[in-house]
Structure formats: C-alpha cells, structure tokens
Amino acid sequence: MSSTEQGTSSAAPAEPTTAPESAAAPEVPESFYYVHGKDKVVHKVSAGALQHSALIHGMISNLGYTEEQAKANPFPFENIDGDILQMVVDWCNQHKGKPTPPEDTNLPKQKEKLFDLVLAVNYLEIKELLTYCCKQVAMMVKGKSPEEIREIWMIPTDAEDEAAEKEAKKRAGKEAAGETAAAAGDAK
Amino acid sequence: MASTLENLSIMTENLSMDPVYETNWSDIPEEIKLECIEKMELNERLSLRCTAKAERSLVDSQKMKIASGGFQITHIGLNFFPRPQIFKILGNPTEAVELTNYVLRIGVFGGIFVHYRDDDVMHFTEEISTKYIHIVSCKNKTVVDVLQKLKKGVEDIRIKAKRGHEYALDDILANDHVRNVPYWHIEDCYQADSLQKVAQMWINENSKIGTTFQVSKTYQGPPSSEFQRIFLEHFNDHIVSNTGKRIRIRTNNPDRHILLERGLDYNDDGNDEMEESYEQFYRLIVISAEMDESEYDDKCNKWISIIDVENYYGNDDEPNANINENHENIENDDQVENGERNQDVEDDDDW
C-alpha cells in the first residue's frame, strides 16, 4: 500500500513505505467449496462468493478444508431445487466482492420460481438477494385488485379457509378415533 | 448472470406446462411476507388486506413511512417523497373514517396536516406517529382529540384557529405533548391569556432552554394590549427586564429565564385604537439566565414567517411593507434588573 492510501495527513510529502515488489507477500490462492441441491448437481463456488450467505459463511469459516476435502464433501441442500440453487450461486458469483446495486432486474418473473427463490435465499440467509426478491414479489401485484391478487397468489378466501380448517379438524378427529379403536383392539 | 437467468426463465416457462413447482404466497414465512408488504405501495397494501382476514392483520401490522399526510374534507393526500404522492378521494363518511384510521395506524409520518373536516369523519381511533402536526381550522374537540392521539416524539405542533374557533386552551395545555414539545404555536389566537398560561406551564414543568411558543392575532382577535397586560399582571414579581419590545422574566430555575418578544411595531402616530386592531405576533422562549441582551435574536421576520408563511419571509434583509423599519430598535430599551420594576417602563404605552 502506498503512503497516500494510508491517508497521511501531514502536508509534507511522506516517505514512501512501499516494499519492493519482489518482497511482496505472495497472494493467498482463493479457496473453493462445493454445494449441491435436490438434483445432486455439484456447483463449485469460491469462498468469496459464499460470503453473501450468512449460513454457509458460518459453516465454512472454521472448516479449514483442503481443496480435495472440500470437493469430497459438498454441502447438501436437499430442500433447494437444482435450478434455484444455480440461480443463487450465479448471483453470489456475480456480486462477489462488489457493492450490491439498488435494483436487480434479473430475478425470475414467474411466480413459483420467485417464491422458491425467496425460500431458498431466506434459508441460506442472503440478505441483499432477499431484499431484491421481496421487492420483486411486491411488484407482482402492482396495480392489482384484491380479486386479482387472490388469483395470482392463490390466497384462499375466508370461507375456503374455514372450510379447510373444518375438514382438517374432522380428519384429525377421525384419525384420533381410529387410533383409540386400534389401541382398544390391541388391549383385547 | 443476465443471460443465465434469462435462460433459466425460458426453461422455467417451458417447464410451466408441467406444474412441478407449487410454492405460493401461503408457503412464505410471515416475516418474509412482512418484508414484501413493506415494499408495497399503499394501493397494493389496501388490495392485499381485502383478500382475507389473515392477510389483513398482516398488512395492518406493517408500518409505512409517509413523508407527510394531509387529511382534508374531500380527500386524503399522502406524500411518499421521493416517490410520488397519492390522493384518495373520500366517498362517504364511513369510508373516510376507515381510511383515515387505517392510514394513521400504519403510517409513520414526518408531518401531518389535519384540515377542517365534517364532524362525522373526525373520529380518530388510532395513535398518531409524527414529528410535526399542523391542525388547521378544526373545532376544539378535534384539536384536543388529535393532540391526545399523538405518540411520543412530536417536535412541532401548529394550530391554526381560523374560522373563529375559540379553543379550550386549558384542555390543550393539559396535553402531555403540548407540555413537552420543543415548538408550538397558535395562529389567529383568541385567548389573550395564552402567553401567561404557557409561561406559567413552562415554569411548572421546568421546560428546557429553547422551548418556544408563538401566537398571532388578527384584527378579529382580542386587542394586542390584552395579551401583554395579562402577562405583565401575572408575572409582576418575576420581571427581569421590560422594554417596548421584550419582557424577560425569572423562572423557579435560577438557570432559566423566559423571554416574551413582540413581532411588529406600527407607525400610526399614537393611534392606539387602530393599532389594537392590527395583526400582531408574539414569541415566548425559554432562555438561559446567562443570556446577554446583545445575544437577542433581532431577526423577527424569521420567526414570524414560521407562523405566517403566506405574508412574511424568513429573510430579515427584505423587510415586509407592513413592518416598521425600526421595529427592532432596542437602543431605547429600559431595563429592570433584580425584579425592581422601572416606572418609566411600566408607563410605556406599548405595554
């Protein structure tokens, strides 16, 4: 680092402190980790890119894996669809070491994809991407009426909700009765 | 990234023929739903809350930052700076009450303007979160109701009493926010005892230095001399100094004084009757007991313009036509120190 970058406040020119190039510390090679989703497709991601995910960053911070160990032990995210994990990995790579822009227009417009991405990003604790996703979700219903929103997001009406609740109670009651009868049969 | 995601979108669209993905709004955790709602505009929030009971309670629990809100007779205007402002036309009183209270419930306002509205829509059930409130030409009940609904943190209360509404000053002064607010004023004030009552309240509350109250009176209000006479009579034994322009009184706190300043002087060749009917402005401010008279703020246009923004400018280098150019002549000030009143001052025609 030069003396200027060090922020010397004196008006007099500061003595250069830059070490000769030959003596500079060698760059530490970037470490990589491996992740896979439900489809078992393994993605190689740099530790720098994974810093976006608080969950993964917390997992790898004290691992000290060698390249071979990392390759042999990919992080399994069985609850995340392969293409969704691909999107997440791509986003992390794209924004590695960069300040995140105020908008991200490259998010999926399709409802189910976006909701899957929201769930994955929430699970992986990627705060910035989650903010973009939530904005995108909000945009989906811009200018829409209650009826249209209900249709787009498949929100059940109160009546449907009540009916479903009644049905669930009835089912639970039947199951409980069945279990009691079975237990009584076993006792005999 | 863009092309990758575009490809994925295309792939997704192709796959959409075969519904593999069924994730929906109802699968999203509540805290994420709330973050999505936070990013919605008011119209979308209003629509979402009409879809189902569960969504309604979720939407209603999420606050919304609103730069300023105006509650008028016919509409509600909300300014979401830097985003554009929106207007909601009020169809009927029921809708007006419902929408007003909904907006108040979710809104965290920078400022609120409550204008004169019909009594039947002046039904505030929600607490109001704002730093600034301007109550314009409302009836006494509305003023008191609105003040009671304020949450902690209000810094500026402005009451415009036009249309001749005489407010129950004691009810207003009983309000905690009024007692503690750094700045407040009553425009077109009909209560000649307001200056005395506010000063007494500050003495009782040991109010902070800088706390300010202003009043203006128009030709319809009580004569200017009444405001001054009542103040002087009440604080007769508290006087530190009295000039034709300013009265300074002691408080119970030896570190603090209260200064009353008059805004305007008129050149009417001693025509007191005329002068009594002119508009006038007063400022009451808690000052340090150490404050020297040379430190007095001579820029009266600046503080008058806060209470009468239509007719006065904040720039004292450009005096308004109706203000005497010598309005801040303090060279002739007579002073009373240590509570001993100067007879010359007492006989001052201005006071």
Side-chain angles (χ1 to χ4, degrees), chain A residues 141-167:
Chain A
V141 293
K142 192 163 173 59
K144 301 284 190 266
S145 68
E147 202 45 58
E148 286 170 321
I149 293 177
R150 193 181 289 132
E151 209 170 291
I152 293 168
W153 283 351
M154 298 181 73
I155 298 171
T157 60
D158 290 336
E160 286 168 343
D161 254 346
E162 279 165 26
E165 211 171 299
K166 263 185 197 171
E167 187 60 36

Side-chain angles (χ1 to χ4, degrees), chain B residues 73 93 115-123 142:
Chain B
I73 303 174
H115 293 259
Y116 175 80
R117 300 168 91 193
D118 294 335
D119 283 350
D120 48 0
V121 300
M122 287 300 194
H123 181 61
T142 305

Side-chain angles (χ1 to χ4, degrees), chain A residues 16-44:
Chain A
T17 55
T18 313
E21 268 181 35
S22 57
E27 266 189 32
V28 180
E30 193 170 22
S31 51
F32 287 88
Y33 291 87
Y34 297 82
V35 294
H36 74 73
K38 205 184 277 181
D39 61 357
K40 308 283 185 199
V41 175
V42 175
H43 305 271
K44 183 182 178 184

Side-chain angles (χ1 to χ4, degrees), chain B residues 23-54:
Chain B
T23 316
N24 251 307
W25 178 251
S26 52
D27 302 310
I28 303 294
E30 273 199 5
E31 69 269 19
I32 307 298
K33 279 187 177 179
L34 284 171
E35 204 169 328
C36 296
I37 292 166
E38 193 210 326
K39 290 172 174 48
M40 287 179 195
E41 309 274 342
L42 182 69
N43 282 337
E44 285 70 39
R45 289 185 187 214
L46 289 171
S47 291
L48 180 58
R49 76 190 290 275
C50 291
T51 57
K53 271 184 203 166

Side-chain angles (χ1 to χ4, degrees), chain A residues 90 94 106 110 116 143 150, chain B residues 1 4-5 12 23 44 51:
Chain A
D90 285 348
Q94 173 95 3
N106 292 326
Q110 199 201 10
D116 277 342
R150 193 181 289 132
Chain B
M1 173 71 176
T4 311
L5 285 173
T12 312
T23 316
E44 285 70 39
T51 57

Side-chain angles (χ1 to χ4, degrees), chain B residues 244-255:
Chain B
K245 196 73 186 165
R246 296 182 172 99
I247 301 173
R248 182 168 175 163
I249 60 167
R250 274 189 305 278
T251 69
N252 296 338
N253 182 338
D255 297 334

